Amino acid sequence: MLLQQYKCFGSSAASKIQRNPLFSSLDSRDVSYFKEILGEKNVIEDKERLETANTDWMHKYKGSSKLMLLPKNTQEVSQILQYCDSRRLAVVPQGGNTGLVGGSVPVFDEVIINVGLMNKVLAFDEVSGVLVCEAGCILENLATFLDTKGFIMPLDLGAKGSCHIGGNVSTNAGGLRLIRYGSLHGTVLGLEAVTANGNVLDMLGTLRKDNTGYDLKHLFIGSEGSLGIVTKVSILTQPKLSSVNLAFIACKDYLSCQKLLVEAKRNLGEILSAFEFLDNNSMDLVLNHLDGVRNPVSCSENFYILIETTGSDETNDREKLEAFLLKSLEKGLVSDGVIAQDINQASSFWRIREGITEALQKAGAVYKYDLSLPVEEIYNIVNDLRGKLGDLANVMGYGHLGDGNLHLNISAAEYNDKLLGLIEPYVYEWTSKHRGSISAEHGLGVMKANEIFYSKSPETVALMASIKKLLDPKGILNPYKVLPHSLFSH
Amino acid sequence: MKILVAVKRVVDYAVKIRVKPDKTGVETQNVKMSMNPFCEIALEEALRIKEAGFAEEVIAVSIGPSQCVDTLRTGLAMGADRGIHVETNSSFLPLTIAKILKSLADVENPGLIFLGKQAIDDDCNQTGQMVAALLGWPQATFASKVVLDKDKNVATVDREVDGGLETLNVDLPAVITTDLRLNQPRYASLPNIMKAKSKPIKKMTVQDLKVDIKSDIEILEVTEPPKRKSGVMVSSVDELIDKLKNEAHVV
């Protein structure tokens, strides 16, 4: 068969991936078999639908799959995988397809297994707050369901209208509330997953504490579909507290932002629920590319911070937040700020922070980096890169300052390799030097499959490869992603 | 000139409301409450008029339980000069509110009274009109543009009506109620929140204002609208006609 080459649009020129010749190619018998077990309607060969399923949200990565399967339940997922494993057909597990590292779309002709039809809420315990649901539930729909019961999901992110909880779990999604509720490694109590050979692993516990053996669910959380397909999730949700306050603050310099974070953690304490930052370039981008947004603060500043508090006593929380902000204003940490007076105002503040990603898409080509760094270093990399790129591109820094997570984005009119060469491996080396993570929450996908060594030791990665080979000996689950290609030479 | 602005504390516009099980009203416990959006617009307009030099003082008024002070604080943080809280635990209907506002107007003698065109909890759209009638003042409701002529003591108001836009001239003092497109209210900034802490809020009671609060309207029941029934597929035109005739009784 032909050696197919794949060059990731906008990714390091060095990583020209080649299709694994050991994988089979889809034939008509395969398609008939799938139609038999799933029904004709849920075996998609339609060109338009495949076009969408083959392309990631950023329109940066595009595969050439000829088939998408829509299983309705775990049993069907198991049958599909058992068959694909025996036939050596590579597959891509797919949820909402909102990932930002090319992890949710085929690289070549892998069969797409989309769990979108598995979207039922299975159980909700109103005392413990434990929600059990299928992996294809859209995050926003779960939030709406929980709202009627007086609960909230422990995570929230800009992609909530499209992303699936299965995908969130598989990528260990972070988001805006991590500072308050922690990561999915803490809030996911159990899951059900199907491994490459079709084996169904029932780890769907609903218990807060269970120390019986190795906690295998953690392997699947964040493994980006490379160890198994998550089919059900059991997650601990939080009571919805009535008092939510949001402030939009302007700060003169990054040092003030840092100090403000320290003060916020100390003075707002248990009611602090989000601490986000964005720089002036990000604000300008949003104001230029999105409709109906205005800068909440009257004059332009270098940095903007969003501080959210969530508690149970409206008056108390309000006073606490006001007192904290007024003191910060007096101390010169804050140059100006506003507090949202109603939910609409709060939504408009969030629109600015959550809209940066959308604005970047509209602005042209975007090189996106998601880094964990010591808080005091976070803006240094932005300044250094800005100096390095000069007029070639617009560099933006924003993100979850409260978690030490920077979203470094470089916006240019078009993708070009010269620009990429200036950015990579500079950004990875810079991060590595400060013992940071080259992927705080987005995952490795196909974009950073070969960059893991910037953040993990060779011994650790070797063990990861062993585990992969143990759980997926033929390597059919989401190949070419997450771990370096050199470990799976063919 | 003084401007009196009435601001109402209501369930936040973005909240999904639920009817209380006893059907006496809408659930307001543990629910986010905010200033009525149209009242916010009214206050914003009053502030702009003051900033343009047409008025010296903007007074925010709210009628209701102790938590109304929060709503007034928001008004002060936006820029109102002082607040008046008429404290009561009763839930008053528009006519009683209008009588209270009239009493206040008799005391404060404002040149303009601004209200939101309606409150989003009851959608009455009555209070502004009733205040004007009780005071014998001209009224311009659903304002989408207000221009003052200080010399002639006249306000020119564009109103949003079903047929389009109507422009009225009203002599001052007058009552104006505000519609959505009049302005975009400012946010409460930190410096203004700080200034607001020293602005006075005067507490009054209905008795102080000598208002008769007896209402001739009694709310019997509050229920949700009936849930939309799912559609029915019919297999033929005859079946459709039969259903239209014998089930829906529309033919």
Side-chain angles (χ1 to χ4, degrees):
Chain A
M1 71 198 68
L2 282 171
L3 257 179
Q4 285 173 255
Q5 288 213 341
Y6 171 88
K7 182 170 178 230
C8 304
F9 200 32
S11 163
S12 183
S15 59
K16 281 187 177 61
I17 313 171
Q18 297 190 346
R19 186 188 185 279
N20 184 344
L22 293 174
F23 288 144
S24 305
S25 288
L26 204 61
D27 63 31
S28 54
R29 281 175 305 152
D30 300 322
V31 179
S32 305
Y33 177 77
F34 292 133
K35 284 185 176 168
E36 238 181 279
I37 52 171
L38 300 177
E40 288 240 5
K41 218 167 38 125
N42 295 328
V43 174
I44 311 297
E45 295 176 278
D46 171 69
K47 285 210 165 54
E48 263 185 52
R49 288 184 74 175
L50 282 174
E51 174 90 9
T52 314
N54 266 308
T55 315
D56 80 318
W57 184 80
M58 291 175 63
H59 297 285
K60 211 171 161 187
Y61 302 98
K62 187 158 178 218
S64 44
S65 173
K66 297 277 187 303
L67 196 72
M68 176 162 68
L69 303 176
L70 306 175
K72 295 182 294 296
N73 54 52
T74 307
Q75 173 69 348
E76 286 179 3
V77 175
S78 169
Q79 285 177 285
I80 293 170
L81 283 179
Q82 194 173 25
Y83 181 80
C84 290
D85 193 53
S86 68
R87 271 280 289 136
R88 221 177 192 129
L89 285 166
V91 303
V92 173
Q94 187 179 82
N97 196 5
T98 57
L100 301 170
V101 288
S104 55
V105 293
V107 177
F108 297 106
D109 59 342
E110 300 91 277
V111 174
I112 302 169
I113 303 176
N114 190 306
V115 297
L117 292 183
M118 297 167 62
N119 59 6
K120 284 195 285 291
V121 168
L122 298 170
F124 180 64
D125 183 330
E126 299 196 30
V127 172
S128 64
V130 177
L131 173 73
V132 183
C133 62
E134 293 182 316
C137 292
I138 293 174
L139 184 62
E140 193 163 54
N141 291 349
L142 290 175
T144 308
F145 165 76
L146 287 174
D147 193 65
T148 63
K149 308 278 181 194
F151 283 79
I152 58 165
M153 286 297 279
L155 80 163
D156 186 24
L157 48 154
K160 62 191 130 198
S162 308
C163 63
H164 295 181
I165 188 68
N168 291 147
V169 167
S170 299
T171 55
N172 189 21
L176 306 160
R177 289 186 186 147
L178 193 135
I179 191 175
R180 171 73 169 254
Y181 302 113
S183 91
L184 286 172
H185 280 291
T187 55
V188 169
L189 300 179
L191 52 91
E192 178 193 75
V194 184
T195 52
N197 60 3
N199 196 13
V200 177
L201 285 176
D202 177 4
M203 306 169 287
L204 198 61
T206 55
L207 307 169
R208 210 56 182 83
K209 301 167 82 171
D210 180 15
N211 280 351
T212 53
Y214 306 148
D215 201 350
L216 293 179
K217 66 175 185 288
H218 290 294
L219 271 184
F220 294 91
I221 300 173
S223 61
E224 305 179 51
S226 62
L227 296 179
I229 298 186
V230 172
T231 46
K232 294 194 178 84
V233 175
S234 155
I235 189 166
L236 181 64
T237 69
Q238 295 294 327
K240 183 180 161 101
L241 300 176
S242 54
S243 153
V244 181
N245 284 296
L246 187 64
F248 199 92
I249 308 293
C251 293
K252 261 194 208 16
D253 50 41
Y254 184 70
L255 189 60
S256 306
C257 298
Q258 231 186 280
K259 287 185 179 162
L260 196 63
L261 172 62
V262 174
E263 294 295 307
K265 282 185 172 164
R266 188 165 292 282
N267 290 297
L268 297 174
E270 72 283 4
I271 62 169
L272 182 65
S273 56
F275 196 101
E276 299 286 311
F277 95 104
L278 54 137
D279 64 8
N280 196 22
N281 283 2
S282 308
M283 172 66 88
D284 280 345
L285 194 82
V286 170
L287 293 176
N288 285 336
H289 291 276
L290 295 185
D291 292 325
V293 285
R294 52 179 172 138
N295 190 342
V297 175
S298 48
C299 50
S300 184
E301 242 319 347
N302 292 319
F303 292 93
Y304 302 95
I305 306 265
L306 273 125
I307 300 178
E308 187 193 63
T309 65
T310 307
S312 46
D313 186 336
E314 178 83 55
T315 321
N316 181 43
D317 290 355
R318 195 52 188 277
E319 280 171 15
K320 210 167 170 177
L321 180 63
E322 275 182 20
F324 165 69
L325 289 173
L326 291 178
K327 204 164 78 159
S328 304
L329 185 68
E330 276 170 43
K331 283 202 269 192
L333 285 181
V334 165
S335 67
D336 198 1
V338 297
I339 299 182
Q341 300 301 309
D342 56 43
I343 298 179
N344 267 333
Q345 287 188 5
S347 299
S348 65
F349 295 176
W350 275 121
R351 179 86 183 99
I352 294 172
R353 164 61 182 89
E354 288 183 307
I356 301 174
T357 315
E358 200 188 316
L360 281 164
Q361 286 302 109
K362 292 191 172 157
V366 52
Y367 293 95
K368 198 177 276 294
Y369 300 90
D370 163 46
L371 313 166
S372 270
L373 286 166
V375 172
E376 60 271 19
E377 297 293 342
I378 278 182
Y379 213 69
N380 289 338
I381 191 176
V382 182
N383 280 330
D384 285 354
L385 192 62
R386 215 171 254 155
K388 192 168 192 241
L389 298 182
D391 285 331
L392 287 176
N394 186 8
V395 179
M396 265 139 304
Y398 63 95
H400 314 290
L401 190 55
D403 311 324
N405 181 191
L406 170 72
H407 289 313
L408 174 67
N409 281 258
I410 299 101
S411 177
E414 291 166 343
Y415 289 110
N416 86 73
D417 283 345
K418 174 168 176 261
L419 182 57
L420 180 59
L422 289 172
I423 302 170
E424 287 183 29
Y426 178 75
V427 166
Y428 297 140
E429 286 170 354
W430 205 109
T431 306
S432 190
K433 203 164 63 181
H434 292 92
R435 284 189 68 89
S437 166
I438 53 149
S439 184
E441 59 181 1
H442 291 171
L444 297 169
V446 76
M447 179 186 170
K448 302 178 217 177
N450 287 322
E451 324 296 352
I452 193 174
F453 294 111
Y454 285 106
S455 293
K456 289 286 188 308
S457 74
E459 299 78 22
T460 324
V461 180
L463 185 54
M464 288 185 208
S466 302
I467 294 172
K468 166 72 172 172
K469 286 174 190 158
L470 179 69
L471 286 166
D472 180 16
K474 297 190 186 136
I476 61 162
L477 287 173
N478 227 3
Y480 320 111
K481 296 172 188 157
V482 185
L483 297 177
H485 305 134
S486 54
L487 296 171
F488 306 96
S489 47
H490 43 258
Chain B
M1 172 173 77
K2 281 191 224 173
I3 306 180
L4 195 66
V5 184
V7 295
K8 187 176 183 186
R9 179 173 180 266
V10 297
V11 175
D12 190 298
Y13 172 64
V15 167
K16 271 196 193 63
I17 55 167
R18 271 189 280 281
V19 176
K20 285 198 279 202
D22 63 6
K23 296 191 183 171
T24 54
V26 160
E27 187 62 73
T28 53
Q29 289 268 37
N30 281 327
V31 161
K32 173 90 178 165
M33 306 290 278
S34 305
M35 187 187 293
N36 182 38
F38 294 107
C39 300
E40 240 184 311
I41 294 171
L43 181 54
E44 174 64 28
E45 197 62 20
L47 293 170
R48 290 186 189 190
I49 291 173
K50 178 185 160 195
E51 281 159 6
F54 293 119
E56 310 92 49
E57 203 183 23
V58 173
I59 309 159
V61 178
S62 199
I63 300 158
S66 57
Q67 297 94 323
C68 284
V69 171
D70 292 336
T71 314
L72 285 171
R73 286 255 163 254
T74 301
L76 295 176
M78 280 172 72
D81 296 290
R82 57 185 167 93
I84 299 176
H85 176 209
V86 181
E87 186 157 8
T88 169
N89 283 321
S90 315
S91 182
F92 291 142
L93 292 173
L95 183 56
T96 312
I97 301 285
K99 288 179 187 171
I100 295 172
L101 290 175
K102 176 203 182 299
S103 283
L104 283 171
D106 288 339
V107 170
E108 297 283 351
N109 286 312
L112 269 172
I113 302 182
F114 267 100
L115 299 92
K117 71 170 180 181
Q118 65 197 60
I120 59 163
D121 52 5
D122 52 31
D123 277 351
C124 282
N125 183 7
Q126 298 164 9
T127 312
Q129 291 89 327
M130 288 175 172
V131 173
L134 289 171
L135 284 168
W137 288 8
Q139 60 180 262
T141 55
F142 320 133
S144 64
K145 186 164 165 204
V146 175
V147 178
L148 287 185
D149 185 333
K150 208 173 183 184
D151 302 321
K152 299 205 192 110
N153 220 24
V154 158
T156 305
V157 181
D158 285 357
R159 308 177 57 222
E160 292 196 15
V161 296
D162 287 345
L165 282 178
E166 181 189 58
T167 307
L168 289 182
N169 277 342
V170 286
D171 292 327
L172 302 184
V175 173
I176 299 180
T177 75
T178 61
D179 211 325
L180 211 52
R181 271 165 277 270
L182 177 56
N183 61 46
Q184 204 172 34
R186 66 196 63 188
Y187 296 119
S189 70
L190 288 179
N192 282 339
I193 290 174
M194 186 145 68
K195 284 189 212 141
K197 291 197 182 301
S198 52
K199 292 180 186 174
I201 295 181
K202 182 173 178 195
K203 258 204 208 324
M204 305 184 77
T205 63
V206 178
Q207 289 80 9
D208 293 337
L209 294 166
K210 300 191 183 49
V211 169
D212 171 20
I213 61 167
K214 191 169 77 72
S215 175
D216 43 16
I217 296 176
E218 182 196 339
I219 294 179
L220 298 176
E221 188 185 67
V222 176
T223 56
E224 271 187 28
K227 294 235 180 316
R228 265 192 78 176
K229 287 202 291 228
S230 55
V232 174
M233 297 290 274
V234 294
S235 55
S236 69
V237 175
D238 288 331
E239 197 188 341
L240 174 64
I241 295 176
D242 177 57
K243 282 199 189 289
L244 287 174
K245 202 168 185 180
N246 299 317
E247 276 184 42
H249 304 292
V250 292
V251 176

